[in-house]
Amino acid sequence: MIGTHADRSREPKRETDAVAKSTMIRRRNPVAGLLFLTCLSSIHAACNTRANWLESPGDGIKVLIGYEQDLGGRFASQPANGLDTPAFAPLLPQDIQAKDAQGILPNDQDKGVVSYYEPDGKDGWRICRKEDWFRRNEGTRPASIARTEKNQSRNTSLAPVLRSHVMGAARVYLYDSKGRIQETFAAAVYEPEKSERVTTDERQCFRFNDQNLLQLYVSATATNACPSGDPDPRDTWRRFRYGAFKNDRGHTENGSLWIQWHQGNEDGRWSESIVFRNSPKPSPERHGGNASVDSNKGVTQILGGFNIGLRDRSDGPALKYTDGSSKPIEYYFTKPPVPVSILDDVDQMYRHDRRRETQVLSGIKLIELYPAGAHQPLDRFYMAAGRTLRQEQYDDSGKLKRVINLGFVGLNKKDGGFYDEDLRGKVGLKLKGSKLLYRVWEYDAAGKASLIAIGWDAKFGSAAREEPLELAQLAFGSPDGTVGWKREDEFFKAFDFDPIASRAYPDPVAK
C-alpha cells in the first residue's frame, strides 16, 4: 500500500492501531495539526526529483503537515468506466488554503502524513506528493534517521518533525502538459536490511484523449513502467473507446463503444473481458455483447449479446421474456483461434465454428452448433442438467426431418412447455399405465409428423410414479408396444440421438 516502507518491519506493532487512530482524528478535524507554507517564490519549483524520489521538495511548493486530502477515489483503483474517470486532480479546498497555522505530527500517533501541492496553472493547487512519516522510537534504525535528514532537511518547513519522526514512503503524482494525471506510484527503501536503494511500486498510468476522456489505464504490476505506445501484455490494464451522439434533448454527449479489461501474467499469458457496442446511443438496432478473450485461443465466447448472429437461422429469437423482450444471445467459439477483430465486424464470426445458446426455461437451454460458413444447424438440442430433453434433426436444406423428445416439460406450450406434442390415439393400449419416456417423430416433405418409435418404463404402473430416469426399466420399440431394440445404445444409434449433445460441444467448455 501507499504507506508501506521497509523500516515498518522494525516499527512497533501498535503502529496499525495508531494509523487507524490518526485517520479518525483527521476525519474529525481535517486541519488539525496543519502547517501551511505559502509559496513566496514566483518560480514554480519541481515537486519531485527524478534522481531521488524520496527527496522532499524545497521552496516554491506548498507544504501541509498533518493534512491528507480526500481525493474522492481518484487514482485509488482500476476504473470500471472511462467516462467516470476524472482527468484532473481535485483542487485544494479554499478553506485549507487559507490556513496559516504552525502544525506538528502528534507524538501520540505512530504515523502522520505530509502533503505537497503545486500550482495547476489555473490559479489553483493540486496534489503532487504525499509522504508517510513515522514517530521515532527505540527500534528506529539509524539509517532511517540519516536518510530522512539527508532527503528532507532542505525544506525548512519540515524542521519541527525532523527531530521526532522519520520519513517512510512517498506517493508521487505526475501530470501531463495539459495538467491531467499521467502517473502515480509509491517510492521507498523497501528492503533496508539489504540496501538503501530507492525503488518504486504500485505504479498506475493514465492516458487521455483530446476530450479529456480516459483512453488507457495501466497498473504496471509486471513492468513497473508506463508505456509510450501499446501496453505490455504482462501488465494489467484497461482500454476505452467512445463515440458521440445526440441525446433526447438534442445535446451531444459521449457514450462507450469499447471497454477492454486486460489481466496479464508475468509469463506472458493473459485474458481479457471486452464490452463492445457498434454505437454509443442505445437503440433497437444497436448490437454488442460481452466477450472473453484468451492469449492462446482469441475470442472464446460472447455473452449478453444483442442483435448479433442475425444471419444464423436460430430458434433463439422466438424465445422471449414474459414482457416480450428478447433474451440475451450467447456464442461460444469451438475451434480457436478466433481474432478479436470479429468484435469490430461481427459478420466475421460466421467464418468460425460456433455454438449458440439461448435460455428457454429455468434450467433449460437451446443449443445450436453452426459450422464455419453455415447458418443452418443440423441439430438443435434442448438441454437441462447435461441431458438432452429434445433433439431436432434437419436436412441440408434446413427442413425438419426428425425429433426425439425425452420426458415431459409441460405437455404443450400453453402448459409451460417449449414444444407441442399430441400423443392422443398414437400409443397402443398395451402401454396404458406405462410412463412414456422417449418419443421419436419423423416429418414428411409437407412437414407432417408421425410417431414412429418410443421408449417406456416397463415396470408395472410406472406412469403413476415419479422416479428418475436412472431407475426406469427401459424398453424400446414401436408405438404399439412391440419391442424393437434390446438396448438403449441400439435405440439411440437407430435415430442418431445424442443424449448429452456431445456433437455441439467439440470444445472442452462444460455443458
Side-chain angles (χ1 to χ4, degrees):
M1 300 299 295
I2 293 174
T4 302
H5 73 115
D7 294 332
R8 292 184 67 174
S9 60
R10 300 199 177 185
E11 295 295 331
K13 293 183 178 180
R14 64 178 180 274
E15 177 184 293
T16 302
D17 296 333
V19 171
K21 193 182 301 180
S22 169
T23 303
M24 290 166 45
I25 292 175
R26 285 198 298 271
R27 286 176 180 170
R28 288 196 298 266
N29 184 3
V31 296
L34 172 69
L35 170 63
F36 182 82
L37 177 64
T38 303
C39 176
L40 300 178
S41 172
S42 60
I43 300 176
H44 176 198
C47 183
N48 297 288
T49 304
R50 292 184 178 274
N52 181 4
W53 294 115
L54 289 188
E55 186 176 74
S56 299
D59 295 336
I61 300 296
K62 290 186 176 182
V63 184
L64 287 80
I65 297 178
Y67 173 76
E68 183 174 8
Q69 184 181 10
D70 180 4
L71 299 179
R74 289 173 171 86
F75 329 136
S77 60
Q78 298 186 30
N81 188 332
L83 290 169
D84 300 328
T85 304
F88 303 93
L91 298 181
L92 184 64
Q94 289 292 330
D95 60 328
I96 302 300
Q97 290 192 36
K99 293 291 179 178
D100 189 14
Q102 186 71 24
I104 60 172
L105 295 177
N107 284 324
D108 61 347
Q109 298 175 21
D110 289 331
K111 178 187 174 185
V113 173
V114 177
S115 299
Y116 299 81
Y117 289 79
E118 64 184 11
D120 66 352
K122 302 176 183 178
D123 298 325
W125 297 84
R126 66 190 178 201
I127 184 78
C128 60
R129 181 181 178 87
K130 184 179 70 173
E131 296 173 348
D132 293 331
W133 287 68
F134 294 88
R135 183 168 56 86
R136 294 189 194 182
N137 58 38
E138 64 278 3
T140 302
R141 298 173 66 252
S144 298
I145 298 174
R147 185 193 323 124
T148 299
E149 291 176 347
K150 172 186 174 183
N151 292 328
Q152 277 67 53
S153 60
R154 75 188 187 112
N155 193 313
T156 57
S157 303
L158 299 175
V161 297
L162 284 175
R163 294 186 294 270
S164 57
H165 290 71
V166 292
M167 202 281 279
R171 168 60 64 172
V172 174
Y173 301 88
L174 303 178
Y175 300 87
D176 65 16
S177 60
K178 295 184 178 180
R180 304 170 300 194
I181 185 67
Q182 187 175 46
E183 186 176 352
T184 176
F185 56 87
V189 175
Y190 285 102
E191 296 182 326
E193 294 83 0
K194 297 180 179 180
S195 74
E196 284 290 301
R197 186 171 67 90
V198 178
T199 55
T200 58
D201 194 18
E202 302 172 6
R203 191 177 303 272
Q204 299 179 84
C205 315
F206 303 81
R207 189 185 300 168
F208 295 88
N209 65 14
D210 291 339
Q211 295 176 293
N212 298 325
L213 296 174
L214 183 64
Q215 285 185 315
L216 179 67
Y217 164 86
V218 178
S219 176
T221 51
T223 63
N224 195 28
C226 289
S228 57
D230 288 334
D232 193 293
R234 295 171 297 169
D235 284 331
T236 295
W237 43 267
R238 298 189 175 183
R239 198 195 300 268
F240 305 90
R241 297 203 313 241
Y242 312 92
F245 67 97
K246 294 283 187 180
N247 59 28
D248 295 338
R249 299 183 302 276
H251 300 151
T252 300
E253 63 177 279
N254 292 296
S256 291
L257 293 174
W258 185 275
I259 302 176
Q260 181 177 7
W261 297 358
H262 176 99
Q263 183 67 48
N265 292 287
E266 290 190 1
D267 62 6
R269 293 179 298 112
W270 51 264
S271 61
E272 290 180 344
S273 175
I274 300 176
V275 179
F276 65 98
R277 306 285 187 265
N278 72 320
S279 170
K281 183 177 182 179
S283 70
E285 296 77 26
R286 183 171 72 160
H287 70 248
N290 307 319
S292 297
V293 187
D294 178 85
S295 53
N296 294 321
K297 298 179 180 180
V299 179
T300 58
Q301 63 185 28
I302 297 174
L303 304 182
F306 50 94
N307 289 333
I308 60 174
L310 298 181
R311 291 166 61 186
D312 287 343
R313 292 190 282 274
S314 170
D315 274 2
L319 303 168
K320 304 287 187 181
Y321 287 115
T322 54
D323 63 358
S325 60
S326 297
K327 295 188 175 182
I329 301 166
E330 299 178 4
Y331 271 102
Y332 299 85
F333 297 92
T334 61
K335 190 178 290 185
V338 177
V340 178
S341 59
I342 71 166
L343 305 182
D344 285 317
D345 180 7
V346 291
D347 281 351
Q348 288 187 27
M349 68 188 295
Y350 302 130
R351 303 173 186 174
H352 303 274
D353 291 1
R354 59 206 179 277
R355 181 178 60 255
R356 178 168 173 152
E357 301 188 7
T358 309
Q359 194 76 24
V360 180
L361 299 172
S362 178
I364 301 177
K365 272 192 171 184
L366 166 62
I367 314 296
E368 301 164 307
L369 183 68
Y370 297 89
H375 300 288
Q376 172 66 45
L378 296 179
D379 296 274
R380 285 196 174 101
F381 299 93
Y382 291 82
M383 299 194 67
R387 173 176 285 157
T388 301
L389 300 182
R390 175 178 170 92
Q391 179 181 349
E392 299 175 356
Q393 300 172 3
Y394 296 82
D395 62 21
D396 292 337
S397 67
K399 285 187 177 181
L400 182 64
K401 64 179 184 180
R402 182 184 295 140
V403 169
I404 303 100
N405 293 327
L406 168 63
F408 289 93
V409 186
L411 295 178
N412 51 57
K413 293 181 180 179
K414 292 182 180 179
D415 292 334
F418 53 88
Y419 58 87
D420 290 314
E421 186 178 53
D422 186 3
L423 294 171
R424 292 174 298 179
K426 296 180 176 64
V427 181
L429 290 176
K430 64 188 302 183
L431 293 177
K432 185 178 181 181
S434 297
K435 180 183 291 185
L436 301 183
L437 297 171
Y438 294 93
R439 289 92 62 202
V440 180
W441 299 83
E442 290 200 342
Y443 292 76
D444 62 19
K448 182 180 178 180
S450 299
L451 183 67
I452 64 166
I454 58 174
W456 65 92
D457 188 348
K459 288 189 294 187
F460 179 77
S462 61
R465 292 193 298 270
E466 290 294 333
E467 291 182 342
L469 180 64
E470 290 77 9
L471 298 180
Q473 183 181 325
L474 291 171
F476 303 94
S478 58
D480 64 3
T482 302
V483 175
W485 297 271
K486 294 182 179 180
R487 299 196 313 270
E488 182 181 65
D489 61 326
E490 293 177 349
F491 177 77
F492 291 172
K493 184 177 181 181
F495 300 105
D496 197 23
F497 179 63
D498 189 342
I500 58 172
S502 58
R503 69 190 63 169
Y505 289 86
D507 53 328
V509 177
K511 292 185 279 293

